């Protein structure tokens, strides 16, 4: 592709998203013949029809589907370098932000953020997804998400990150567990059968030896994809689970469970915010990024202790 062909990128993205040559022309404020001429050039470059007419719609070919994420990301990256100069008015801005979030925070941290956000930025919308893959770099590079919130799990390369807070972890079990009563040792913890939260595309636990070295010694008999499935399961069995303290604080009273501090060398999980460096100059992204960091600080301060039965300690 020649440098002079770079203006074809917004035309390709428009055709893909509008599924119509006429709508693409209106969107770009150019003539329909100009769109048709650009499509012909794109077909020559990629040696593929890219879009096939089906009734009144332009349907993308497999090749077009394959290249769309990269071209859409390139267009977003370019426009984001311009957006910063225009500032960002949170009160009037209309925008959708996409998140991939580690299991649990979609029940605790993000709902709190969004409830506060409605007062300052009522027209901003969130799309919150589970973390489907381990390739955070690829997900952000292809603009699949604006943000990834995950445990600290890889050495930063070109991906930007910011520490949000440390999530304290506790061991949770049935309130009438037959072998663990008023305290729990490491030997007791490892002697029991466990439930773990695993990634969507892997059987490995989200919290693994990369975070806490002793975790690989557990006898795991049940794997689930969400942390909120742990509490109902342990309330009906003798299984042990590791849960975020914030989840137990929020939902522990709904189930017959008790919790103990983990008898491990480490009992916290570092939660980080990840984003692609191309968003550094996007005013809307910068504004929400700073908002998330501030909310994370408040969230961390609000996490009081819990008793062994999952109850919040008295403020006194």
């Amino acid at each position: 592709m020649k440098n002079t062909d770079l203006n074809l990128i917004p035309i390709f993205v428009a055709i893909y998203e509008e599924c119509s040559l006429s709508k693409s022309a209106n969107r770009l404020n150019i003539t329909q013949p100009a769109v048709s001429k650009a499509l012909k050039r794109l077909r020559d470059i990629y040696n593929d029809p890219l879009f096939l007419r089906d009734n009144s719609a332009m349907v993308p070919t497999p090749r077009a589907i394959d290249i769309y994420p990269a071209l859409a990301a390139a267009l977003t990256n370019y426009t984001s370098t311009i957006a910063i100069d225009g500032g960002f008015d949170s009160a009037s801005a209309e925008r959708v932000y996409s998140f991939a979030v580690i299991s649990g925070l979609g029940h605790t941290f993000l709902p709190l953020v969004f409830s506060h956000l409605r007062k300052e930025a009522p027209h901003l919308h969130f799309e919150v997804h589970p973390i489907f893959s381990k390739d955070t770099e690829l997900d952000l590079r292809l603009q699949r998400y604006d943000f990834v919130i995950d445990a600290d799990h890889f050495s930063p390369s070109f991906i930007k990150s910011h520490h949000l807070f440390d999530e304290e972890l506790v061991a949770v079990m049935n309130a009438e567990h037959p072998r663990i009563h008023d305290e729990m040792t490491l030997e007791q913890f490892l002697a029991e059968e466990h439930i773990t939260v695993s990634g969507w595309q892997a059987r490995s636990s989200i919290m693994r030896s990369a975070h806490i070295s002793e975790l690989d010694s557990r006898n795991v008999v049940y794997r689930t994809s969400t942390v909120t499935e742990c509490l109902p399961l342990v309330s009906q069995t003798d299984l042990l689970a590791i849960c975020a303290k914030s989840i137990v604080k929020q939902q522990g009273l709904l189930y017959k469970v008790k919790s103990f501090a983990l008898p491990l060398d480490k009992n916290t999980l570092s939660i980080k915010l990840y984003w692609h460096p191309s968003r550094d100059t996007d005013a809307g992204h910068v504004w929400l990024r700073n908002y998330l960091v501030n909310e994370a600080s408040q969230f961390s301060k609000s996490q009081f202790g819990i008793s062994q039965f999952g109850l919040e300690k008295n403020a006194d």
Side-chain angles (χ1 to χ4, degrees):
M1 182 178 287
K2 300 177 182 178
N3 291 336
T4 53
D5 291 327
L6 294 177
N7 63 342
L8 299 176
I9 294 176
I11 297 177
F12 172 89
V13 172
I15 297 172
Y16 189 98
E17 294 178 351
E18 299 291 344
C19 300
S20 165
L21 298 185
S22 59
K23 290 181 180 179
S24 298
N26 292 335
R27 170 173 164 174
L28 299 169
N29 198 27
I30 60 177
T31 66
Q32 185 169 333
V35 174
S36 298
K37 183 178 179 180
L39 178 56
K40 183 179 184 303
R41 176 61 182 149
L42 284 162
R43 284 167 169 167
D44 291 339
I45 291 172
Y46 287 103
N47 192 29
D48 187 273
L50 296 178
F51 300 95
L52 301 174
R53 189 173 295 280
D54 182 10
N55 296 324
S56 60
M58 299 296 289
V59 179
T61 65
R63 177 63 169 150
I65 295 173
D66 182 55
I67 65 176
Y68 167 75
L71 293 185
L75 180 60
T76 299
N77 292 344
Y78 170 69
T79 56
S80 70
T81 65
I82 301 173
I84 189 68
D85 295 330
F88 184 77
D89 182 5
S90 60
S92 61
E94 297 183 11
R95 181 163 173 175
V96 178
Y97 292 92
S98 180
F99 293 80
V101 181
I102 188 173
S103 178
L105 295 187
H107 293 267
T108 56
F109 176 59
L110 279 184
L112 185 66
V113 171
F114 191 71
S115 67
H116 294 168
L117 188 73
R118 303 298 286 168
K119 302 173 184 177
E120 297 187 38
H123 306 296
L124 299 187
H125 299 166
F126 282 9
E127 291 181 353
V128 181
H129 306 270
I131 294 178
F132 286 104
S133 75
K134 293 182 178 180
D135 200 337
T136 301
E137 295 190 17
L138 180 63
D139 287 341
L140 291 172
R141 179 168 57 83
L142 295 182
Q143 309 294 337
R144 290 171 179 162
Y145 310 109
D146 296 296
F147 299 100
V148 172
I149 303 179
D150 198 1
D152 184 8
H153 65 285
F154 71 95
S155 299
S157 53
F158 64 91
I159 294 298
K160 297 293 189 71
S161 65
H162 190 285
H163 176 264
L164 292 179
F165 50 83
D166 288 331
E167 186 78 278
E168 185 174 348
L169 306 174
V170 294
V172 186
M173 66 210 69
N174 190 306
E176 299 177 354
H177 197 282
R179 291 172 295 280
I180 302 177
H181 304 290
D182 297 328
E183 59 182 4
M184 180 182 63
T185 65
L186 177 59
E187 290 72 21
Q188 287 176 308
F189 175 77
L190 295 178
E192 297 295 330
E193 296 179 322
H194 291 253
I195 172 176
T196 66
V197 180
S198 299
W200 283 79
Q201 294 185 342
R203 292 185 176 180
S204 61
S205 170
I206 290 177
M207 294 175 290
R208 51 195 182 276
S209 59
H211 304 119
I212 303 174
S213 59
E214 297 93 341
L215 294 185
D216 282 348
S217 301
R218 290 175 296 175
N219 178 19
V220 177
V221 299
Y222 193 106
R223 297 182 184 274
T224 180
S225 60
T226 62
V227 69
T228 51
E229 293 178 12
C230 292
L231 295 183
L233 182 63
V234 299
S235 70
Q236 300 176 59
T237 67
D238 293 342
L239 300 183
L240 269 60
I242 296 177
C243 287
K245 188 175 183 179
S246 58
I247 287 287
V248 179
K249 176 186 175 183
Q250 181 193 72
Q251 301 186 17
L253 291 177
L254 299 176
Y255 305 99
K256 194 176 181 180
V257 299
K258 61 184 177 182
S259 61
F260 291 96
L262 284 178
L264 305 173
D265 293 337
K266 180 181 178 183
N267 65 351
T268 59
L269 201 59
S270 175
I271 303 298
K272 301 186 76 171
L273 180 70
Y274 296 95
W275 70 93
H276 194 274
S278 63
R279 299 302 183 91
D280 278 348
T281 54
D282 180 333
H285 196 279
V286 172
W287 184 89
L288 184 58
R289 194 161 69 233
N290 291 334
Y291 192 91
L292 289 166
V293 170
N294 180 65
E295 286 289 305
S297 175
Q298 300 304 314
F299 176 77
S300 180
K301 293 176 183 178
S302 71
Q303 299 310 299
F304 299 109
I306 55 176
S307 74
Q308 68 172 18
F309 293 98
L311 301 175
E312 183 176 340
K313 287 183 179 178
N314 190 302
D316 294 334

